[in-house]
Amino acid sequence: MYLQHFGLGEAPFSLTPNTGFFFGLAPHVEALQVLQTALQTGEGFIKVTGEVGTGKTLICRKLLNEIPSRFHCAYLPNPYLTPDELRWAVALELGLKYSTNIDQQQLTTLIQQQLIALSAHGHSIVLVLDEAQALPDESLEALRLFTNLETESRKLLQVVLFAQPELDERLALKQFRQLRQRITFSYPLRPLTRGETSAYLAHRLQIAGYQGPELFSQNNCMRLAKASRGIPRLINILAHKALLLAFGEGAQCVSHQHIKAAINDTDDAKGSAMLTRGWFAALGAAAIVVVSATVHWFLGAAA
């Protein structure tokens, strides 16, 4: 790839949410502060929503990595579960050992007993769900019933939901009014501003080990910000492609043409009416093989 060409120690614009690249951008820091405050006060439901690619999973991992030791976290990365499957998954995350022959009522009783035992040992129990918009309606109701488990002084279980805006649309329905009223803290993630996009690019390059002259000019940073609409995942995709092009031409920095070609090659980038791949023709024969294989691998990993 282009790592050696630019003197990089690792890929700066990978799509994998890596907390090592976490940058203190205002929307991400504010979301973490809301989460930490809500957890400290013992609220039942906490919700963070954002469009695809705005950094929800990264914030989720950052929270899990830094949460104080007194919290016992149960984490469900894929909540597309029936109510029964949800109870089994929660029981497993709480460390319960049980027979598969028990019924759902018995399982619920075991979960409650485990929550009481953990609470008695000074633990606050938090259930964290990523991609919560995937929860079926019946499972959303089962989740609400979990938060009915409480002592005289506090809830036995707090729930943190990371979700796309589709969850808000569902919660606005009358059938979910009880759950909606229990969400006491909510934070909507916004896209990055143009200034934040520039700082974001520079930060990731620095973390990846880059020490040379400016790779992305301010004008090109602005072009990336506009095309990506400030969505970090799209910024990563576009920056990665632009660096591939610069590498293929042996250039030491990214040009306007590299940015333009990367935008034209990305379906979801603003202004891309159709997918074009004419930019490969400008590359040398050897570079074509390297860049083509890398782009297909990268896009396959992002799917």
Side-chain angles (χ1 to χ4, degrees):
M1 224 164 64
Y2 52 73
L3 299 185
Q4 186 175 0
H5 178 74
F6 290 112
L8 295 164
E10 58 183 312
F13 300 111
S14 170
L15 297 187
T16 303
N18 183 347
T19 56
F21 281 91
F22 183 83
F23 187 35
L25 295 163
H28 295 170
V29 171
E30 290 167 6
L32 280 170
Q33 289 174 341
V34 168
L35 288 166
Q36 290 163 355
T37 299
L39 290 174
Q40 293 293 340
T41 55
E43 301 297 339
F45 273 91
I46 311 151
K47 174 170 62 71
V48 174
T49 54
E51 281 292 347
V52 174
T54 50
K56 298 182 299 297
T57 300
L58 180 63
I59 294 170
C60 178
R61 291 186 181 181
K62 187 75 171 174
L63 175 70
L64 293 173
N65 288 347
E66 298 184 356
I67 198 165
S69 58
R70 73 176 182 86
F71 287 93
H72 180 97
C73 278
Y75 173 52
L76 300 182
N78 178 19
Y80 188 66
L81 304 168
T82 66
D84 289 357
E85 291 169 339
L86 180 64
R87 294 185 191 95
W88 289 115
V90 170
L92 183 63
E93 284 294 304
L94 291 176
L96 278 172
K97 296 181 180 179
Y98 47 79
S99 168
T100 55
N101 296 324
I102 65 173
D103 60 32
Q104 289 299 306
Q105 182 59 46
Q106 291 172 315
L107 182 60
T108 300
T109 300
L110 285 176
I111 290 173
Q112 183 172 14
Q113 291 173 347
Q114 180 73 340
L115 291 173
I116 292 172
L118 288 169
S119 180
H121 285 84
H123 291 288
S124 295
I125 304 91
V126 182
L127 176 61
V128 179
L129 295 94
D130 201 3
E131 303 292 349
Q133 76 282 345
L135 275 165
D137 289 356
E138 297 82 1
S139 299
L140 275 172
E141 177 61 13
L143 195 62
R144 180 186 70 83
L145 293 175
F146 267 134
T147 61
N148 284 341
L149 304 175
E150 56 189 3
T151 65
E152 291 185 356
S153 58
R154 63 171 177 165
K155 296 286 186 183
L156 288 174
L157 181 68
Q158 293 175 270
V159 179
V160 179
L161 304 173
F162 289 91
Q164 295 171 19
E166 289 84 347
L167 179 63
D168 288 330
E169 296 173 9
R170 291 172 61 196
L171 292 177
L173 300 175
K174 185 178 180 180
Q175 69 191 82
F176 293 120
R177 63 191 184 279
Q178 288 181 295
L179 174 56
R180 187 170 65 246
Q181 289 178 0
R182 295 195 182 190
I183 299 174
T184 52
F185 281 80
S186 183
Y187 186 87
L189 274 175
R190 62 166 176 80
L192 307 187
T193 65
R194 293 188 178 189
E196 288 168 343
T197 298
S198 179
Y200 174 82
L201 289 165
H203 172 78
R204 293 190 72 97
L205 285 168
Q206 180 185 21
I207 295 298
Y210 183 69
Q211 298 179 347
E214 188 177 65
L215 280 179
F216 294 89
S217 69
Q218 285 304 304
N219 284 339
N220 283 333
C221 287
M222 296 306 101
R223 292 184 180 100
L224 283 178
K226 182 178 180 180
S228 67
R229 306 182 300 281
I231 297 174
R233 183 180 295 165
L234 271 177
I235 295 170
N236 284 8
I237 290 172
L238 294 174
H240 174 74
K241 289 183 177 181
L243 286 174
L244 280 172
L245 281 166
F247 160 65
E249 293 181 356
Q252 294 302 311
C253 65
V254 174
S255 70
H256 168 58
Q257 290 304 315
H258 298 148
I259 298 292
K260 182 178 179 181
I263 292 169
N264 287 338
D265 191 63
T266 305
D267 284 333
D268 201 26
K270 190 174 182 180
S272 294
M274 59 186 296
L275 189 65
T276 60
R277 300 200 179 271
W279 53 280
F280 278 111
L283 301 176
I288 289 176
V289 177
V290 175
V291 174
S292 179
T294 307
V295 168
H296 281 89
W297 169 83
F298 185 80
L299 294 177

